[in-house]
Amino acid sequence: MDNLKVLFTRDEIDARETEVAKKLDEDYKGKEVVVVCILNGAVFFAVDVMKKMKTELVFDTLQVSSYVGTESTGNVILKKDIEADVKGKEVLILEDIIDTGKTLKFVKNHLMSKGPNSVKICTFVDKKARREENIESDYNCFTIDNKFVVGYGFDIDGVGRNIPYIGYIEQ
Ligand code: IMP
Ligand code: MG
């Protein structure tokens, strides 16, 4: 990917993740937490944030599909559900990006229907200006404008996830 520019370096990402993990530890202290990582993109971010957290937690994953190329189709389908029982527990969704909000709206509603005590959202990147749904993340690392990002879990048509920083494609 030769037209990729650096948006956030590995060090900037690490520092911000440390701050967010600290806040999560403060807020979830003594609570029964089930962390739900949304596959595939959020894996990179989720692993790093969870390793920085001291709170005891159950880890689970969920997979949805909605994206083709650089434009959201808006159709969200559940491909893999969680296995943990979240009834009466605190659910914390870890997601790579909140863009139109369609994915997280679907995921949040789906998890709320399982009867947890709370469902909160922690995102790595927020594209606030692109929101179409009435949904916000409770914790977020970076707010960006309308750039298509690649690396650190973000892909373009399946590739680029393992690039160790957040880059963007100059259009
Ligand atoms: P939303 O449903 O429109 O909020 O889109 C969320 C999903 O779109 C994310 O889980 C990503 O997979 C994908 N997405 C949105 N923007 C980007 C981007 O800049 N790079 C890579 N994937 C993106
Ligand atoms: Mg995703």
Short mmCIF file of all heavy atoms in Angstrom, two decimals, residues 38-42 64 66 95-97 103 153-155 161, ligand 2:
data_model
loop_
_atom_site.label_atom_id
_atom_site.label_comp_id
_atom_site.label_asym_id
_atom_site.label_seq_id
_atom_site.Cartn_x
_atom_site.Cartn_y
_atom_site.Cartn_z
N ILE A 38 -15.80 -7.08 18.69
CA ILE A 38 -16.45 -7.31 17.39
C ILE A 38 -15.40 -7.69 16.34
O ILE A 38 -14.50 -6.91 16.03
CB ILE A 38 -17.27 -6.07 16.96
CG1 ILE A 38 -18.25 -5.70 18.09
CG2 ILE A 38 -18.01 -6.37 15.66
CD1 ILE A 38 -19.21 -4.62 17.78
N LEU A 39 -15.53 -8.92 15.86
CA LEU A 39 -14.59 -9.45 14.85
C LEU A 39 -14.87 -8.82 13.49
O LEU A 39 -16.00 -8.47 13.20
CB LEU A 39 -14.76 -10.96 14.75
CG LEU A 39 -14.55 -11.76 16.05
CD1 LEU A 39 -14.89 -13.24 15.82
CD2 LEU A 39 -13.12 -11.62 16.53
N ASN A 40 -13.86 -8.72 12.59
CA ASN A 40 -12.47 -9.02 12.85
C ASN A 40 -11.69 -7.79 13.30
O ASN A 40 -10.70 -7.90 14.03
CB ASN A 40 -11.79 -9.53 11.56
CG ASN A 40 -12.39 -10.85 11.08
OD1 ASN A 40 -12.76 -11.69 11.87
ND2 ASN A 40 -12.49 -11.01 9.78
N GLY A 41 -12.12 -6.63 12.85
CA GLY A 41 -11.32 -5.42 12.96
C GLY A 41 -10.90 -5.02 14.36
O GLY A 41 -9.80 -4.52 14.56
N ALA A 42 -11.77 -5.24 15.35
CA ALA A 42 -11.49 -4.74 16.70
C ALA A 42 -10.48 -5.58 17.46
O ALA A 42 -10.05 -5.19 18.55
CB ALA A 42 -12.78 -4.61 17.50
N VAL A 64 -20.28 -9.53 12.88
CA VAL A 64 -21.34 -9.05 12.00
C VAL A 64 -20.70 -8.73 10.65
O VAL A 64 -19.49 -8.67 10.53
CB VAL A 64 -22.04 -7.78 12.54
CG1 VAL A 64 -22.90 -8.09 13.75
CG2 VAL A 64 -21.04 -6.68 12.86
N SER A 66 -21.21 -6.04 7.24
CA SER A 66 -21.98 -4.92 6.69
C SER A 66 -21.24 -4.12 5.63
O SER A 66 -21.84 -3.27 4.98
CB SER A 66 -22.36 -3.94 7.80
OG SER A 66 -21.23 -3.23 8.23
N GLU A 95 -15.13 -2.00 19.83
CA GLU A 95 -15.29 -1.96 18.38
C GLU A 95 -14.23 -1.04 17.77
O GLU A 95 -13.80 -0.06 18.40
CB GLU A 95 -16.71 -1.47 18.04
CG GLU A 95 -17.00 -1.17 16.59
CD GLU A 95 -16.83 -2.33 15.63
OE1 GLU A 95 -15.86 -3.10 15.76
OE2 GLU A 95 -17.66 -2.45 14.71
N ASP A 96 -13.80 -1.36 16.58
CA ASP A 96 -12.74 -0.57 15.94
C ASP A 96 -13.18 0.84 15.59
O ASP A 96 -12.45 1.80 15.82
CB ASP A 96 -12.16 -1.30 14.71
CG ASP A 96 -13.20 -1.75 13.70
OD1 ASP A 96 -14.39 -1.39 13.85
OD2 ASP A 96 -12.82 -2.48 12.77
N ILE A 97 -14.40 0.97 15.03
CA ILE A 97 -14.80 2.30 14.54
C ILE A 97 -16.31 2.48 14.60
O ILE A 97 -17.06 1.52 14.41
CB ILE A 97 -14.27 2.50 13.09
CG1 ILE A 97 -14.35 3.96 12.64
CG2 ILE A 97 -14.97 1.59 12.11
CD1 ILE A 97 -13.48 4.27 11.42
N THR A 103 -23.75 -0.43 12.47
CA THR A 103 -23.23 -1.67 13.05
C THR A 103 -23.45 -1.68 14.55
O THR A 103 -23.99 -2.64 15.11
CB THR A 103 -21.72 -1.81 12.75
OG1 THR A 103 -21.53 -1.73 11.34
CG2 THR A 103 -21.17 -3.12 13.28
N GLY A 153 -5.80 -3.09 12.50
CA GLY A 153 -7.11 -3.75 12.51
C GLY A 153 -8.02 -3.30 11.39
O GLY A 153 -8.94 -4.01 11.01
N PHE A 154 -7.76 -2.11 10.84
CA PHE A 154 -8.61 -1.61 9.76
C PHE A 154 -8.12 -2.17 8.42
O PHE A 154 -6.93 -2.13 8.12
CB PHE A 154 -8.59 -0.08 9.69
CG PHE A 154 -9.18 0.57 10.90
CD1 PHE A 154 -8.38 1.21 11.83
CD2 PHE A 154 -10.55 0.53 11.12
CE1 PHE A 154 -8.93 1.80 12.95
CE2 PHE A 154 -11.11 1.12 12.25
CZ PHE A 154 -10.29 1.76 13.16
N ASP A 155 -9.07 -2.64 7.64
CA ASP A 155 -8.73 -3.24 6.35
C ASP A 155 -9.36 -2.50 5.19
O ASP A 155 -10.32 -1.74 5.37
CB ASP A 155 -9.23 -4.69 6.30
CG ASP A 155 -10.75 -4.75 6.19
OD1 ASP A 155 -11.43 -4.20 7.09
OD2 ASP A 155 -11.27 -5.31 5.22
N ARG A 161 -4.75 -5.04 7.77
CA ARG A 161 -5.03 -5.06 9.22
C ARG A 161 -3.77 -5.10 10.06
O ARG A 161 -3.73 -4.57 11.16
CB ARG A 161 -5.90 -6.27 9.57
CG ARG A 161 -7.30 -6.22 8.98
CD ARG A 161 -8.17 -7.26 9.69
NE ARG A 161 -9.38 -7.62 8.95
CZ ARG A 161 -10.52 -6.96 9.04
NH1 ARG A 161 -10.62 -5.90 9.80
NH2 ARG A 161 -11.58 -7.36 8.35
MG MG B 2 -15.72 -3.83 12.23
#
